[in-house]
Each structure stands twice: as structure tokens, then as C-alpha cells.
Amino acid sequence: MDVRLLGPLEVVGSAGERLDPGTRKQRAVLAMLALSPGRPVSLDRLVEELWAGEAPAKATATLQAYVSHLRRVLEPGRRPRTPPRLLLTREPGYLLDITPAQTDA
């Protein structure tokens, strides 16, 4: 998988297919994670960046829903209850398990 951050956000799967990360905020989550490949990004930072200090009461739950959607997009063949391989939960938040070479940033 490659994440292209320069210009419009694009995600290219391992077979060369373009993947649709979804809504603007879901794309923003993916971009923030891709800017720190292989390193966790805290929930606090993700919430702050997504809602610019005006987070709704259920921001964490909404963020979890975004991550769930992104996991389905990034690993379409992953079976239910199988641990994800790319978008991982890691303290203090989430980690996109890609190398810096898999982004153009």
C-alpha cells in the first residue's frame, strides 16, 4: 500500500488499485497517521486536529468509527475478528504500519 500525500490524498493498494478512504475527516485521519509512518499518533492529537479545539462530546467514539472504516478500506479481505495488519491500536492512539518509503511526504 502507498499513501500519496502531495496533492490530493490518494491511497494505492498492493495490487495497484485506488482505494477510497471515505469522508474528509476519515481522509484527514489517514493523512495524519501517514505523516508519522510506523509511529503512534495520540488520540488527543487526532481529536485536536480533526475538530480544531471544538471537539464534539463523542469525539473519541466518532474517531473510532473513522478508524474502523479505514481498516475495512485498507484491508478489504480481512476476516471478522482478525487483527488488523496496517492500522493498529497502539498507546496512546493509532499507528499506520507502513514505511516512510510508502508515502511521498
Side-chain angles (χ1 to χ4, degrees), residues 2-22:
D2 291 319
V3 181
R4 298 178 183 153
L5 298 166
L6 300 176
L9 175 73
E10 292 182 334
V11 182
V12 180
S14 58
E17 73 281 17
R18 295 209 188 276
L19 305 175
D20 180 7

Side-chain angles (χ1 to χ4, degrees), residues 67-75 78 84 87-89 94:
V67 168
S68 178
H69 171 81
L70 287 168
R71 284 178 172 152
R72 285 192 303 274
V73 169
L74 299 177
E75 296 182 60
R78 185 169 59 91
L87 205 167
L88 310 173
T89 302
Y94 296 103

Side-chain angles (χ1 to χ4, degrees), residues 6-92:
L6 300 176
L9 175 73
E10 292 182 334
V11 182
V12 180
S14 58
E17 73 281 17
R18 295 209 188 276
L19 305 175
D20 180 7
T23 67
R24 184 177 62 84
K25 289 200 187 272
Q26 289 166 182
R27 297 169 75 79
V29 169
L30 182 59
M32 286 185 277
L33 295 171
L35 285 170
S36 297
R39 294 189 318 251
V41 179
S42 74
L43 289 173
D44 290 342
R45 179 171 170 223
L46 291 167
V47 167
E48 175 64 30
E49 294 293 329
L50 284 175
W51 287 283
E54 303 291 327
K58 296 186 179 188
T60 300
T62 302
L63 178 58
Q64 289 169 338
Y66 294 161
V67 168
S68 178
H69 171 81
L70 287 168
R71 284 178 172 152
R72 285 192 303 274
V73 169
L74 299 177
E75 296 182 60
R78 185 169 59 91
R79 296 170 51 97
R81 294 192 239 356
T82 303
R85 294 178 298 111
L86 293 173
L87 205 167
L88 310 173
T89 302
R90 292 291 185 269
E91 288 298 324

